[in-house]
């Protein structure tokens, strides 16, 4: 098991077929303002790949874009809405089909309001992950070991949680509504980019 750091694109053929876990790190939470710095991707076999984009990058990453846009590969995220917007805005691809562990958690873990990645990993897998590097300078010319390990840990557990969450969604009869939510997420992300991030167009107001 290793963390691999790549500059500007994913090497060809490093991922096994099947679902991939995806996460992004950006300069901040405002997609149009805060550039995409890092895309983390894992095939669930134990290695994580980090693709770093420098300041001023043209985001010309054909191998990464091909994987993200591949309709045959499910993309597993935790809070897909944010990552889909960053990927769509900066890389110009819709990284679907989607499975979002946060949406799945909200649909089945109705006994709690704790749906953060740390909480979910702890309850479902009995493991502890650190969120210490969450707010750090992802645009720095050199990423520290701590940053790289944090970034990798955000995609490390999504496959295992996907398996458990699918079973739980089926058990509670919520697999269909979950799938419909996942299918809508690329549109939700586009609404965020287009200016409807805070305004709920489904509300009466
Ligand atoms: Mn992350």
């Amino acid at each position: 098991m290793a963390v691999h750091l790549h500059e500007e694109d994913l090497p060809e053929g490093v991922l096994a077929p099947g679902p991939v876990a995806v996460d992004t790190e950006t300069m901040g939470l405002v997609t149009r303002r805060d550039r995409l710095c890092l895309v983390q991707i894992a095939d669930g076999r134990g290695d994580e790949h980090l693709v770093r984009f420098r300041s001023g990058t043209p985001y010309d990453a054909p191998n990464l874009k091909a994987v993200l846009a591949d309709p045959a590969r499910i993309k597993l995220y935790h809070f897909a809405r944010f990552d889909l917007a960053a990927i769509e805005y900066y890389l110009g691809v819709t990284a679907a089909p989607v499975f979002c562990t946060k949406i799945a958690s909200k649909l089945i873990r109705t006994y709690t309001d704790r749906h953060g990645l740390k909480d979910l990993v702890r309850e479902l897998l009995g493991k502890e992950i650190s969120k210490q590097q969450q707010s750090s300078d992802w645009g720095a010319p050199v990423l520290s070991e701590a940053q790289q390990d944090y970034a990798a840990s955000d995609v490390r557990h999504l496959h295992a949680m996907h398996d458990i969450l699918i079973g739980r969604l089926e058990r509670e009869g919520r697999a269909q509504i979950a799938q419909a939510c996942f299918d809508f997420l690329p549109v939700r992300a586009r609404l965020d980019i287009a200016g409807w991030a805070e305004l709920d167009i489904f509300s009466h107001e």
Side-chain angles (χ1 to χ4, degrees):
M1 298 204 290
V3 179
H4 305 273
L5 181 62
H6 311 287
E7 300 292 334
E8 301 294 323
D9 198 5
L10 192 69
E12 216 173 334
V14 294
L15 299 171
V20 285
V22 178
D23 187 36
T24 63
E25 304 300 335
T26 63
M27 288 302 292
L29 297 178
V30 182
T31 297
R32 304 174 76 109
R33 180 191 68 188
D34 300 321
R35 70 179 175 90
L36 174 67
C37 299
L38 195 70
V39 177
Q40 305 100 286
I41 193 159
D43 61 13
R45 321 251 159 151
D47 285 5
E48 293 91 25
H49 296 271
L50 316 181
V51 180
R52 208 266 293 264
F53 294 99
R54 66 179 184 275
S55 174
T57 175
Y59 293 106
D60 180 22
N63 296 334
L64 177 62
K65 289 178 192 181
V67 172
L68 293 173
D70 185 351
R73 271 193 201 267
I74 298 172
K75 264 64 73 173
L76 316 175
Y77 305 87
H78 186 76
F79 198 50
R81 180 177 168 181
F82 181 81
D83 302 304
L84 284 165
I87 290 167
E88 175 120 359
Y89 190 71
Y90 289 98
L91 294 174
V93 295
T94 302
V98 171
F99 184 98
C100 177
T101 54
K102 191 171 198 125
I103 297 284
S105 175
K106 286 182 175 176
L107 285 172
I108 49 137
R109 294 172 67 251
T110 43
Y111 47 80
T112 178
D113 58 1
R114 301 183 71 93
H115 302 287
L117 181 65
K118 194 178 164 70
D119 299 302
L120 205 52
V121 168
R122 183 187 292 132
E123 185 187 306
L124 298 186
L125 305 176
K127 291 181 177 163
E128 290 295 329
I129 58 165
S130 166
K131 276 281 162 190
Q132 234 173 23
Q133 296 294 320
Q134 185 164 34
S135 310
S136 65
D137 181 9
W138 293 104
V142 176
L143 293 182
S144 69
E145 288 289 321
Q147 280 180 306
Q148 291 183 43
D149 190 61
Y150 164 75
S153 75
D154 272 357
V155 290
R156 193 167 289 149
H157 304 294
L158 297 182
H159 285 81
M161 294 205 296
H162 176 230
D163 293 342
I164 294 169
L165 288 166
I166 281 181
R168 295 273 297 268
L169 284 164
E170 276 164 9
R171 189 190 82 194
E172 297 302 324
R174 296 194 183 136
Q176 268 194 323
I177 201 162
Q179 189 59 53
C181 293
F182 301 151
D183 292 343
F184 175 67
L185 276 166
V187 179
R188 180 58 268 194
R190 258 171 248 147
L191 286 166
D192 287 343
I193 298 168
W196 283 275
E198 298 307 324
L199 204 129
D200 177 6
I201 59 166
F202 295 106
S203 94
H204 180 266
E205 304 314 314

